[in-house]
Amino acid sequence: MEPIRMVDLQRQYAHIKDRVDAAVIRCMDEANFINGPEVKKFAINLQNYLSVKKVITCANGTDALQIAFMALDLEPGSEVIVPSFTYVATAEVICLLGLTPVMVDVDPHTFNLTADLIEQAITEKTRAVVPVHLFGQCVDMDAIMALARKHNIYVIEDTAQAIGAEYSGCEYNGKAGTIGDIGCTSFFPSKNLGCFGDGGAVYTNNEELAAKLSMIANHGQERKYVHKYIGINSRLDTLQAAILDIKLEHLDEYCEKRRHAADFYDNAFRNVPGLVIPARNPRSTHVFHQYTLKVPAERRQALQDYLQDKGIPSMIYYPLPLNEQEAFKGKSRIAGELNVTKELCESVLSLPMHTELSQEQLEHIQQSVIEFFQGN
Ligand SMILES: *Cc1c(COP(=O)(O)O)cnc(C)c1O
């Protein structure tokens, strides 16, 4: 059996090596390393894939969030609601821009924000909310959009983990990141659409915002040497765009392979006492950036050790919530008790999840997990 990895980028690359290598060599021959034609081509192909008016590529997912918030031009001290159970980047840029992240709890089943949790945290300073489509499935956007419209606040979707997921609500439909005002994504290598380095993008259906976002990503430049806004220098490399353009053709197949592994895990673990399989939002497809179980907190470390001995890696996303991070002390507001977040940090465990998991590997993981619970 091949060694089991959390993410198997080596074997994924092997399937597309000929095309990727040829594209990389072509880019090097052409030497258009910055803003080469591949960048525009990829942005347009991604636009079509997502059915969104405008995709603006940038250097990474954290920049994508920063560019989005710079474009909103919120007054310093404005509040932005974020889930407490997410990756740090979601809230970091909010502080960098002199805004206050307001950390709220999440739903215990989907691990995502809900409109009710958001509504309890809204004050007259609230200007935006960041639904994070955590682990690969969409937040319930109908309820969040209705709430946002009612309170006149922006919706910035953090879709770094959910590219390709599809939301089908009653009023709002579309790919993750295309429903709110701005969607932000990452092409970090281990993301579902990952490049061979750093990359990111923002998307929007609002033409005015699109123009501003693309200027901000490029020094606030309106035309050469004319600067309308304070911007940043955040670009997707030509080489990365060429690689992403090839991988984009495989994205649906990659999502399907991840779902296949997730379905296997669901069936394997649904009836194991002590284990809780991840809940699925019936209004969203799930692209399984992570497959995350809830396990008894007091046995999590022993389970991880047991699996490690069997050659099975596992990870804790996330061990420490935003509201307990020193960096945010005095720079954020914590709304409510955040008991679910606390419980999740103590009990979640993510299993290997990628496009190359073989039946043999899946069965080995299944057997090992079940053995642990039977033997102990
Ligand atoms: C990965 C990630 C980001 C940041 O992306 P980078 O490309 O690493 O900057 C932001 N938010 C979430 C939820 C992520 O998982």
Side-chain angles (χ1 to χ4, degrees):
M1 188 171 59
E2 295 277 340
I4 302 176
R5 302 186 173 103
M6 271 313 276
V7 185
D8 199 329
L9 299 175
Q10 293 90 331
R11 287 170 63 225
Q12 188 187 61
Y13 168 53
H15 297 297
I16 51 172
K17 181 173 164 46
D18 292 349
R19 288 187 71 200
V20 167
D21 290 2
V24 167
I25 288 171
R26 191 190 65 236
C27 288
M28 294 200 288
D29 284 336
E30 287 168 357
N32 278 318
F33 297 116
I34 303 293
N35 287 335
E38 287 78 4
V39 179
K40 192 173 221 171
K41 180 165 174 274
F42 168 64
I44 289 171
N45 286 337
L46 185 57
Q47 248 162 242
N48 292 336
Y49 175 83
L50 295 168
S51 292
V52 69
K53 280 211 180 112
K54 187 79 185 173
V55 166
I56 296 134
T57 55
C58 64
N60 57 65
T62 309
D63 275 8
L65 287 157
Q66 179 169 342
I67 293 162
F69 277 100
M70 287 174 79
L72 300 185
D73 239 338
L74 302 177
E75 257 173 77
S78 298
E79 292 187 344
V80 179
I81 295 173
V82 299
S84 46
F85 188 63
T86 180
Y87 182 58
V88 64
T90 308
E92 196 174 30
V93 302
I94 296 167
C95 289
L96 271 178
L97 296 173
L99 312 169
T100 305
V102 176
M103 294 154 183
V104 306
D105 215 356
V106 294
D107 177 76
H109 311 293
T110 61
F111 316 132
N112 271 332
L113 276 185
T114 67
D116 286 345
L117 291 162
I118 295 168
E119 187 152 38
Q120 293 163 24
I122 289 179
T123 68
E124 60 293 5
K125 287 192 192 161
T126 309
R127 293 291 175 273
V129 58
V130 188
V132 179
H133 305 304
L134 200 75
F135 302 153
Q137 76 179 331
C138 293
V139 172
D140 213 336
M141 291 302 288
D142 272 0
I144 288 179
M145 293 304 290
L147 184 70
R149 295 306 174 236
K150 178 172 141 201
H151 291 274
N152 199 22
I153 61 181
Y154 289 106
V155 176
I156 306 301
E157 294 177 68
D158 181 341
T159 184
Q161 301 187 0
I163 193 163
E166 178 108 27
Y167 180 77
S168 339
C170 297
E171 240 187 288
Y172 294 89
N173 298 288
K175 289 262 164 47
T178 68
I179 293 168
D181 297 287
I182 304 173
C184 304
T185 204
S186 164
F187 306 122
F188 186 83
S190 64
K191 301 283 155 108
N192 288 26
L193 179 62
C195 57
F196 290 13
D198 273 311
V202 286
Y203 8 111
T204 184
N205 283 307
N206 176 323
E207 278 168 31
E208 220 171 291
L209 271 177
K212 195 165 175 188
L213 289 163
S214 72
M215 282 187 254
I216 288 171
N218 182 27
H219 297 294
Q221 183 168 284
E222 194 170 30
R223 42 186 210 280
K224 205 150 176 72
Y225 303 121
V226 178
H227 302 271
K228 183 163 174 169
Y229 304 107
I230 295 296
I232 61 175
N233 171 20
S234 185
R235 293 185 284 240
L236 181 69
D237 289 346
T238 304
L239 279 168
Q240 301 301 347
I243 294 165
L244 285 167
D245 208 36
I246 294 166
K247 290 188 75 175
L248 179 59
E249 291 177 30
H250 295 272
L251 181 56
D252 283 338
E253 165 204 327
Y254 290 162
C255 293
E256 212 37 67
K257 287 180 166 168
R258 286 172 177 272
R259 263 195 294 269
H260 172 80
D263 289 344
F264 179 93
Y265 284 147
D266 272 1
N267 290 329
F269 303 134
R270 180 173 286 118
N271 297 317
V272 179
L275 286 183
V276 182
I277 61 173
R280 301 197 190 185
N281 176 354
R283 288 180 168 177
S284 171
T285 61
H286 201 320
V287 294
F288 287 97
H289 177 61
Q290 299 297 343
Y291 184 88
T292 303
L293 291 168
K294 286 196 277 184
V295 309
E298 67 285 359
R299 299 178 71 189
R300 183 171 65 174
Q301 186 61 55
L303 173 60
Q304 274 203 289
D305 295 344
Y306 187 84
L307 294 177
Q308 191 61 54
D309 284 346
K310 304 263 173 188
I312 302 166
S314 61
M315 294 286 281
I316 297 165
Y317 303 112
Y318 296 92
L320 196 61
L322 295 188
N323 52 296
E324 289 181 31
Q325 302 286 352
E326 194 179 337
F328 292 109
K329 294 244 160 73
K331 300 188 173 78
S332 59
R333 183 163 74 77
I334 296 167
E337 291 290 321
L338 311 194
N339 289 327
V340 174
T341 297
K342 189 169 188 314
E343 183 223 309
L344 292 177
C345 289
E346 289 166 0
S347 63
V348 287
L349 189 67
S350 298
L351 295 179
M353 175 48 76
H354 53 77
T355 57
E356 311 303 317
L357 283 162
S358 67
Q359 195 63 21
E360 193 186 12
Q361 289 177 323
L362 288 168
E363 281 168 13
H364 176 63
I365 296 167
Q366 169 183 25
Q367 267 168 20
S368 305
V369 171
I370 289 173
E371 257 167 38
F372 172 83
F373 282 99
Q374 283 173 348
N376 286 257

